């Protein structure tokens, strides 16, 4: 335990509370508060119309039936009605979440016990062990918090460089969405293969930050580092360890920036 155990997490509800049962806002909710709400129905309708055109064009060009044209499209991208699209999105989300939880639990267990519970991920565990060997000590699934702003979060892994109490601390996070972790909001159209910008931004006071999976991760880890720094620790590196749950890519370390000024602006702005 790195910090005094003043804040606790109820895993079922994912709610943080202190010893007085006051609720602390989670890091994910904190960051989401600076994003436009996701209009699922509107986007699903737009997606369905686009897919329907693609399916109809494919069926006509290949002289095949509509169901055959649908089956030729990528998994989770075949629905041509709004409800079908929403169901596919939910199925894709659940598949990724379940896989991510599985890999996170496997890695956490390895860090704590040294045991590999699934031999398919042996190389991943050895990769992580090489990283851990460079540090004096480490803290897995550590709850971080700030009592002034009543915010909290759980870091995957905090790494202490030296024995000294004044040691520099690094923070890392495990991500299993390997293909989704890009440096900006550029995405690939699943039908045409064209690269395009999403052109979406966070809300003020960080309206200058383009919204993407990468920048969202930067803000989350930066908030962890900020909370740790407020406890008197020296901030070090922030980085993500990419672990492709499909085992199609080798594990990879990606360093990310400490967005301290953005976090402090968000905390002082906090309208929710």
């Amino acid at each position: 335990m790195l910090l005094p155990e003043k804040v606790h997490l109820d895993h079922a509800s994912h709610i943080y509370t202190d010893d007085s049962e006051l609720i602390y806002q989670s890091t994910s909710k904190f960051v989401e508060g600076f994003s436009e709400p996701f209009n699922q129905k509107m986007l699903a309708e737009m997606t369905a119309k686009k897919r329907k055109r693609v399916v109809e064009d494919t069926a006509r060009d290949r002289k095949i039936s509509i169901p055959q044209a649908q089956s030729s499209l990528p998994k989770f991208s075949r629905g041509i009605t709004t409800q079908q699209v929403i169901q596919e999105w939910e199925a894709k989300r659940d598949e990724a979440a379940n896989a991510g939880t599985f890999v996170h639990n496997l890695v956490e267990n390895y860090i704590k016990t040294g045991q590999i519970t699934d031999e398919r991920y042996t190389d991943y565990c050895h990769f992580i062990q090489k990283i851990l060997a460079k540090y004096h000590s480490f803290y897995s699934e550590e709850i971080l918090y700030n009592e002034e702003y009543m915010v909290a979060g759980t870091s995957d892994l905090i790494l202490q460089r030296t024995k000294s109490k004044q040691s520099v601390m690094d923070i890392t996070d495990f991500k299993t969405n390997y293909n989704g972790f890009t440096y900006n909001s550029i995405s690939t159209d699943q039908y045409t293969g064209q690269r395009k910008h999403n052109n979406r931004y966070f809300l003020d006071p960080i309206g200058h930050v383009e919204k993407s999976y990468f920048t969202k991760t930067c803000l989350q880890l930066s908030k962890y580092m900020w909370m740790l720094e407020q406890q008197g620790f020296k901030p070090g590196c922030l980085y993500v360890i990419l672990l492709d749950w499909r085992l199609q890519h080798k594990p990879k370390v990606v360093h990310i920036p400490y967005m301290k000024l953005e976090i402090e602006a968000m905390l002082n702005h906090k309208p929710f």
Side-chain angles (χ1 to χ4, degrees), residues 33-269:
F34 292 90
S35 300
E36 291 284 358
F38 178 60
N39 192 330
Q40 184 187 64
K41 184 178 180 181
M42 181 188 73
L43 292 175
E45 288 175 351
M46 293 171 59
T47 302
K49 289 179 181 178
K50 180 178 180 180
R51 288 183 184 176
K52 187 176 181 180
R53 289 196 301 270
V54 171
V55 167
E56 290 173 344
D57 290 345
T58 300
R60 183 183 63 253
D61 295 342
R62 298 184 183 179
K63 297 181 179 180
I64 58 179
S65 67
I66 293 295
Q68 288 176 319
Q70 282 182 277
S71 64
S72 69
L73 296 175
K75 183 182 179 182
F76 298 133
S77 304
R78 297 169 183 169
I80 56 175
T81 68
T82 300
Q83 188 57 37
Q84 287 174 340
V85 170
I86 292 175
Q87 290 174 347
E88 286 179 347
W89 284 350
E90 292 175 345
K92 185 175 182 179
R93 177 201 63 200
D94 292 344
E95 180 186 66
N98 291 335
T101 299
F102 172 80
V103 174
H104 271 75
N105 291 341
L106 181 146
V107 170
E108 181 186 355
N109 180 73
Y110 174 74
I111 291 172
K112 292 181 176 179
T113 68
Q115 297 180 346
I116 302 174
T117 55
D118 189 324
E119 293 184 357
R120 293 177 301 167
Y121 296 89
T122 297
D123 289 345
Y124 286 9
C125 293
H126 290 168
F127 182 84
I128 293 169
Q129 182 56 44
K130 289 180 180 178
I131 294 174
L132 298 178
K134 300 175 183 179
Y135 291 89
H136 173 266
S137 55
F138 49 85
Y139 306 86
S140 176
E141 294 296 310
E142 182 78 11
I143 293 179
L144 302 171
Y145 56 85
N146 181 268
E147 294 173 279
E148 179 182 356
Y149 290 96
M150 296 185 68
V151 290
T154 303
S155 172
D156 283 351
L157 192 61
I158 300 175
L159 303 128
Q160 184 173 335
R161 294 187 186 179
T162 64
K163 183 179 180 180
S164 170
K165 292 182 179 180
Q166 302 299 318
S167 172
V168 174
M169 311 294 281
D170 296 342
I171 296 180
T172 189
D173 201 55
F174 304 115
K175 294 297 183 185
T176 54
N177 185 2
Y178 199 102
N179 293 328
F181 199 82
T182 54
Y183 292 90
N184 47 45
S185 63
I186 293 177
S187 61
T188 302
D189 188 282
Q190 58 190 336
Y191 303 111
T192 65
Q194 295 179 338
R195 302 280 282 172
K196 62 179 183 179
H197 283 277
N198 291 327
N199 297 318
R200 293 182 298 166
Y201 288 79
F202 287 98
L203 301 177
D204 287 336
I206 56 167
H208 60 285
V209 179
E210 198 165 9
K211 186 180 179 182
S212 68
Y213 185 52
F214 177 81
T215 52
K216 180 180 177 181
T217 301
C218 291
L219 290 169
Q220 289 175 336
L221 266 67
S222 292
K223 185 162 172 286
Y224 294 155
M225 184 62 84
W226 182 87
M227 290 189 289
L228 196 60
E229 188 177 6
Q230 302 313 300
Q231 296 284 346
F233 295 96
K234 292 183 179 179
C237 295
L238 294 176
Y239 57 93
V240 167
I241 300 176
L242 297 181
L243 302 172
D244 180 17
W245 64 272
R246 295 183 178 88
L247 297 170
Q248 295 175 348
H249 301 276
K250 293 182 179 180
K252 180 181 179 181
V253 169
V254 178
H255 288 268
I256 62 177
Y258 179 22
M259 302 175 72
K260 180 178 179 178
L261 294 180
E262 281 78 6
I263 293 299
E264 291 180 341
M266 293 163 73
L267 286 166
N268 291 323
H269 186 269

